[in-house]
Amino acid sequence: MISLPRIEDGRGNLTFIEGGRHVDFSIERVYYLYDVPGGAERGGHAHKVLHQLLIAMSGSFDVVIDDGREKQRVHLNRSYNGLYICPMIWRELDNFSSGSVCMVLASEMYDETDYYRDYREFLSNADRNSSPVS
Ligand code: T46
């Protein structure tokens, strides 16, 4: 989880994000998920090379991250916190609150060939990329 800068004054709060400073990658793409119906699930894939930062700009949702060995459920509900997801992490998003907005900063342009959308294929490649245990 990355804590982003917060500038607070009587007019409200301001948060900013600089590529290469608050995130270790240069930001090539921004997209956002919104108007997500109650009970909907998104994600269900991993990326080969893409780095991303997920931020709950409004409302809240959960992200389940999975490196092929362990899973962790993370609740995002603050617009000054970002969840950094490196390559080769399976992610699933659910539990979207009404009116929530998930903004994503991405290190690459959209490329469908960067996705593992099949969990078994992801697992076999996650195994191959994992460091050997002595
Ligand atoms: C991720 C989670 C958090 C594009 O044309 N351009 C884009 O930049 C993106 C992200 C998607 N698309 C197209 C591809 C599909 O035809 O939009 C459609 C829906 O994409 P997808 O099913 O991958 O959406 P999510 O919400 O399941 O996943 C997205 C990102 O794809 C993924 O990288 O981490 O949000």
Side-chain angles (χ1 to χ4, degrees):
M1 194 74 86
I2 294 178
S3 291
L4 299 165
R6 257 190 298 171
I7 300 180
E8 302 174 16
D9 65 34
R11 300 168 299 165
N13 301 337
L14 184 152
T15 285
F16 58 96
I17 307 167
E18 295 176 354
R21 182 173 171 206
H22 303 110
V23 291
D24 277 344
F25 54 85
S26 67
I27 299 162
E28 295 297 323
R29 177 168 52 113
V30 178
Y31 63 91
Y32 29 95
L33 311 175
Y34 55 98
D35 290 347
V36 179
E41 298 176 0
R42 304 208 56 124
H45 46 248
H47 287 281
K48 298 172 187 171
V49 301
L50 188 71
H51 299 255
Q52 298 198 114
L53 189 77
L54 277 61
I55 301 167
M57 297 303 286
S58 179
S60 65
F61 53 87
D62 290 354
V63 187
V64 178
I65 46 176
D66 173 0
D67 66 359
R69 296 178 181 202
E70 286 177 50
K71 290 184 187 185
Q72 189 180 347
R73 178 173 287 272
V74 180
H75 185 62
L76 292 184
N77 63 351
R78 298 283 180 226
S79 49
Y80 51 82
N81 286 332
L83 178 67
Y84 167 69
I85 304 184
C86 65
M88 296 306 293
I89 299 289
W90 190 266
R91 82 289 315 267
E92 293 172 358
L93 287 75
D94 62 17
N95 199 22
F96 286 88
S97 70
S98 170
S100 57
V101 178
C102 169
M103 183 178 77
V104 184
L105 310 182
S107 64
E108 312 286 338
M109 304 287 254
Y110 174 71
D111 176 6
E112 186 58 37
T113 66
D114 186 59
Y115 284 73
Y116 288 112
R117 292 192 184 268
D118 179 88
Y119 188 68
R120 279 175 301 181
E121 189 192 359
F122 158 70
L123 272 188
S124 58
N125 285 280
D127 285 342
R128 194 186 310 150
N129 291 339
S130 63
S131 37
V133 177
S134 54

